[in-house]
Amino acid sequence: MFAFEAAARRRSFTAAAEELNISQPAVSKTIRLLEEAIGLKLFRRDHARLELTAEGVKFYRETQQAFDHLHMVLTTLRARNSKDIVHVSFSTSFVQLWLLPRLKNFKARYPDIALRIEESTRDDQDLNEENIDVSARLGDAKWRDVHSWHFVSEEVFAVCSPDYLREHGPIEKPADLLAHPLLHSEERHRARLGWREWLGHQSVPVARVKQDFVFTDALGSIEAAVLGQGIALGWKHLVYDHIKAGRLCCPLPTVYRSGQSVYIVMAAKRPPKKGAELFRQWLLEQNADASIF
């Protein structure tokens, strides 16, 4: 596989041999044995320059992705074994919309704390098994495997860009939203409020909601709303910066409060790193629960 990847990338058996520090005949033989083993011709050898076949192009692309994944796994494993790095894990939307705009503040206060930030697709991570120092969960804090601290109450409301509202508004009641493109997010490993449920809580009975755009993370739907593509559901802490900056607005004052909250969590079965404690304290000092309305 290494011989194939190098030959495909360099388009030369000779160059691949030099890179791998083996002979050119060894590379050629290795590729021939690979082709025989998988029953596919990967290279065309009847030109001055080595060319990939259609099957070779696809196999090369998959090989690169596999090697990239292995590199990521090894890097992660090394980082998790480091006592000096604080390993934190949050959803992509939390990282991109809430954490990144505030990291400069954290680094200015704690320049010696190194963070490894993982964008996770799950809420149910085993923090102890996966060696995660700090994470977040939505729920009622009745978890036995973690210590938890209230971070922000779950408040969800409709958001769109001011330009979209000027062009397509006004929107006077929740039922009016059905006449607009609603931007959906459906996460595979997270249970999150969707448009159908949100409208139901506003006494708008909907058997089915049109789905023109469906994203696999709330980040996609919120950013699409910023670009004027329609109306998204916004969680208070995720859209706070966009609203304060005027990139998003609320077409309705209607808010759904679930009674649940996002909690900062840390593993209960091991003592925390000092850096993790300081990061957790910093998170809680950011006043994420500030009201928008």
Side-chain angles (χ1 to χ4, degrees):
M1 295 293 288
F2 281 111
F4 166 73
E5 191 277 335
R9 175 166 37 84
R10 303 291 294 273
R11 293 296 196 271
S12 166
F13 287 170
T14 301
E18 292 174 355
E19 180 178 314
L20 298 173
N21 198 28
I22 58 177
S23 68
Q24 189 273 347
V27 171
S28 181
K29 181 179 180 181
T30 300
I31 299 299
R32 177 172 54 80
L33 291 174
L34 175 62
E35 290 177 322
E36 291 176 358
I38 64 177
L40 295 172
K41 187 175 181 180
L42 301 174
F43 291 97
R44 287 191 293 270
R45 300 170 175 81
D46 53 351
H47 298 283
R49 177 176 169 83
L50 193 66
E51 297 291 342
L52 287 163
T53 63
E55 292 83 1
V57 169
K58 181 172 177 58
F59 193 59
Y60 173 52
R61 188 181 304 120
E62 296 297 327
T63 301
Q64 280 188 311
Q65 291 179 0
F67 284 176
D68 287 345
H69 179 72
L70 286 172
H71 175 73
M72 180 191 70
V73 170
L74 288 172
T75 301
T76 301
L77 290 174
R78 291 191 186 109
R80 287 177 179 175
N81 288 327
S82 172
K83 295 181 180 179
D84 300 324
I85 297 177
V86 177
H87 183 200
V88 304
S89 179
F90 303 103
S91 69
T92 299
S93 53
F94 184 92
V95 171
Q96 299 293 328
L97 296 172
W98 191 91
L99 183 60
L100 282 184
R102 293 164 176 79
L103 275 182
K104 184 178 180 180
N105 173 277
F106 174 79
K107 198 62 179 177
R109 189 185 303 185
Y110 302 110
D112 297 328
I113 297 178
L115 296 178
R116 179 174 180 81
I117 302 168
E118 175 182 316
E119 296 183 7
S120 171
T121 59
R122 299 171 12 242
D123 277 347
D124 60 346
Q125 291 171 291
D126 186 326
L127 304 191
N128 197 58
E129 179 69 25
E130 299 182 41
N131 203 24
I132 296 170
D133 296 305
V134 183
S135 188
R137 287 185 187 177
L138 174 66
D140 55 10
K142 295 179 181 179
W143 302 294
R144 296 182 178 180
D145 60 328
V146 296
H147 297 304
S148 59
W149 295 264
H150 178 272
F151 181 67
V152 59
S153 302
E154 186 180 37
E155 298 182 13
V156 189
F157 40 85
V159 292
C160 64
S161 73
D163 287 342
Y164 179 91
L165 188 59
R166 280 190 290 269
E167 182 177 352
H168 301 283
I171 298 171
E172 298 178 348
K173 56 186 183 299
D176 294 345
L177 294 169
L178 295 174
H180 296 264
L182 302 180
L183 306 168
H184 301 260
S185 61
E186 296 179 359
E187 301 186 48
R188 183 176 300 176
H189 303 297
R190 282 193 180 95
R192 290 291 185 268
L193 188 77
W195 270 115
R196 186 168 175 268
E197 294 79 16
W198 190 90
L199 289 165
H201 287 298
Q202 310 311 322
S203 301
V204 181
V206 182
R208 188 176 178 184
V209 181
K210 188 177 180 183
Q211 294 186 319
D212 289 319
F213 300 102
V214 182
F215 300 87
T216 58
D217 190 277
L219 173 67
S221 60
I222 292 170
E223 292 300 321
V226 171
L227 295 172
Q229 304 295 334
I231 303 176
L233 286 175
W235 278 255
K236 177 172 65 173
H237 60 298
L238 297 183
V239 298
Y240 182 89
D241 289 347
H242 278 323
I243 289 175
K244 291 301 180 184
R247 294 184 292 269
L248 286 176
C249 65
C250 304
L252 291 167
T254 309
V255 180
Y256 171 65
R257 296 176 174 88
S258 69
Q260 298 191 111
S261 295
V262 174
Y263 291 86
I264 301 302
V265 294
M266 300 175 71
K269 295 182 178 179
R270 69 171 186 269
K273 299 173 184 175
K274 181 179 179 181
E277 285 276 21
L278 292 173
F279 180 67
R280 188 257 300 172
Q281 292 172 12
W282 174 83
L283 287 172
L284 299 178
E285 291 170 3
Q286 300 310 301
N287 195 27
D289 221 4
S291 176
I292 288 179
F293 296 100

